[in-house]
């Protein structure tokens, strides 16, 4: 759930000093976007990760990767 908080901070629509609880009390999210205090950040997934898997005896984590498409 921290994804939307980190996204809002990275896009500059949320101050990093705002607590997670305060952010999620005011934010709405879904469909690869988050809205906070009237501003919207939209992202698109550019890599669909496979999660965690074993390779050569090691655990490899392959996460989804998103890029910011717009900030309004």
């Amino acid at each position: 759930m921290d994804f939307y908080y980190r996204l809002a901070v990275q896009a500059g629509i949320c101050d990093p000093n705002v607590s997670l609880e305060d952010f999620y009390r005011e934010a709405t999210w879904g469909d690869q976007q988050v809205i906070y205090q009237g501003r919207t950040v939209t992202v698109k997934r550019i890599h669909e990760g496979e999660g965690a898997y074993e390779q050569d005896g090691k655990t490899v984590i392959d996460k989804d990767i998103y890029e910011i498409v717009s900030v309004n």
Side-chain angles (χ1 to χ4, degrees):
M1 193 170 197
D2 291 355
F3 171 78
Y4 294 105
Y5 174 77
R6 287 183 278 125
L7 174 62
V9 169
Q10 181 180 358
I13 68 167
C14 178
D15 187 292
N17 294 322
V18 172
S19 71
L20 277 171
E21 295 80 17
D22 288 343
F23 172 77
Y24 282 113
R25 199 176 351 264
E26 294 184 43
T28 56
W29 58 92
D31 196 27
Q32 298 188 54
Q33 70 178 16
V34 62
I35 301 168
Y36 180 68
Q37 295 185 340
R39 299 195 62 201
T40 304
V41 179
T42 304
V43 296
K44 72 175 181 177
R45 184 170 47 197
I46 59 173
H47 172 75
E48 184 172 353
E50 297 179 28
Y53 59 93
E54 293 289 322
Q55 181 177 1
D56 299 326
K58 296 181 181 178
T59 301
V60 177
I61 298 177
D62 183 19
K63 296 181 180 183
D64 291 351
I65 299 173
Y66 294 86
E67 73 177 1
I68 295 173
V69 175
S70 66
V71 180
N72 300 317

